[in-house]
Amino acid sequence: MSQQKSDYVDDADIDAELDQLPDDEAVEATVENLEASGFDVVVVDTADEALETLQSHIPAGVSVMNGHSTTLEEIGFDDYLSEGDHEWESLPDQIWSIDDDAERQAARRDSQTADYFLGGINAIAQTGDLVAADLSGSRIGAYPFAASNVVIVSGINKIVPTLDDALDRLEAVAYPLENERAKEAYGVESMIAKQLIFRQEVEEGRTTVVLIREQLGY
């Protein structure tokens, strides 16, 4: 099942003004404020560079889990985690090989405490706030505390001026697109059931935000 934004954008009614590439000044302000909020930030120019950053950032021998993220799929990380030449313990491969529903759900819960948990974000305020939501919480559950290390990967199109704008972007861009994806993938509508505002990382070096100077994800 493809999860490229182009597959759904024509069917989703989104606010395109909240999905634009910001100028360099806005990106620089965002980086400065994210770092002031305790996040490590890496800025790269392309999706290929983002994948290379993840490959070099995650050490050998650790457990790795990825929450659903169109951006991670677009940069090739999902395929690399499953099929690439690395020395990580791929938790998704273990989880989806389990036939029993209850056992698989338990393994998904356990994966929230992975050594490295990777995922996307729905909006980034220039003020240094991150906003994300899930239906189940299987992605954002790891972000605040559970995972030992968190890596959030995002196109700079998710940068907006304020926290209010970030919340608007969640409702007016991310949700309509995810809803179209869910209807095609699962035959049901999605919803913003569980929402996270990640304002501050208090553990030094725990959470890294990789910003890509491209329009990626939703």
Side-chain angles (χ1 to χ4, degrees):
M1 166 62 67
S2 172
Q3 295 176 356
Q4 304 296 312
K5 184 163 65 174
S6 59
D7 295 331
Y8 310 106
V9 67
D10 290 341
D11 297 320
D13 182 15
I14 69 169
D15 185 345
E17 291 186 2
L18 295 173
D19 195 38
Q20 302 297 315
L21 296 180
D23 59 27
D24 289 343
E25 183 177 351
V27 174
E28 291 171 6
T30 303
V31 171
E32 180 178 341
N33 288 324
L34 284 170
E35 291 177 339
S37 296
F39 302 102
D40 292 342
V41 183
V42 178
V43 182
V44 298
D45 289 330
T46 67
D48 288 343
E49 289 178 10
L51 180 58
E52 292 169 2
T53 297
L54 300 182
Q55 291 167 337
S56 62
H57 181 76
I58 303 172
V62 300
S63 61
V64 178
M65 181 64 184
N66 60 314
H68 168 252
S69 165
T70 298
T71 305
L72 286 181
E73 179 173 311
E74 288 173 335
I75 69 172
F77 180 80
D78 287 3
D79 288 340
Y80 182 77
L81 179 58
S82 179
E83 304 170 5
D85 182 15
H86 58 73
E87 298 180 19
W88 309 327
E89 179 187 3
S90 174
L91 297 184
D93 288 337
Q94 297 177 17
I95 290 168
W96 299 116
S97 68
I98 299 172
D99 291 330
D100 182 82
D101 290 344
E103 290 181 10
R104 185 170 58 253
Q105 185 73 340
R108 292 182 69 194
R109 292 185 187 280
D110 289 343
S111 73
Q112 300 291 294
T113 62
D115 295 326
Y116 279 78
F117 193 101
L118 289 86
I121 205 75
N122 297 125
I124 303 172
Q126 291 181 34
T127 49
D129 304 305
L130 306 174
V131 172
D134 278 341
L135 191 157
S136 68
S138 61
R139 174 180 56 144
I140 62 173
Y143 289 2
F145 178 77
S148 297
N149 297 275
V150 174
V151 183
I152 293 170
V153 183
S154 175
I156 62 171
N157 53 301
K158 298 183 184 180
I159 294 174
V160 291
T162 69
L163 178 56
D164 285 342
D165 293 323
L167 294 169
D168 287 345
R169 189 186 191 283
L170 173 61
E171 299 274 358
V173 178
Y175 170 71
L177 287 162
E178 172 61 15
N179 192 46
E180 291 300 326
R181 185 196 74 84
K183 287 191 291 185
E184 183 168 337
Y186 313 124
V188 298
E189 293 193 350
S190 186
M191 67 173 65
I192 300 173
K194 300 174 184 180
Q195 182 171 311
L196 172 70
I197 300 176
F198 200 167
R199 295 176 179 269
Q200 185 90 21
E201 176 52 80
V202 297
E203 184 177 340
E204 184 177 355
R206 176 180 177 268
T207 300
T208 299
V209 180
V210 179
L211 294 177
I212 311 165
R213 292 185 184 274
E214 292 186 4
Q215 191 168 55
L216 294 166
Y218 50 80

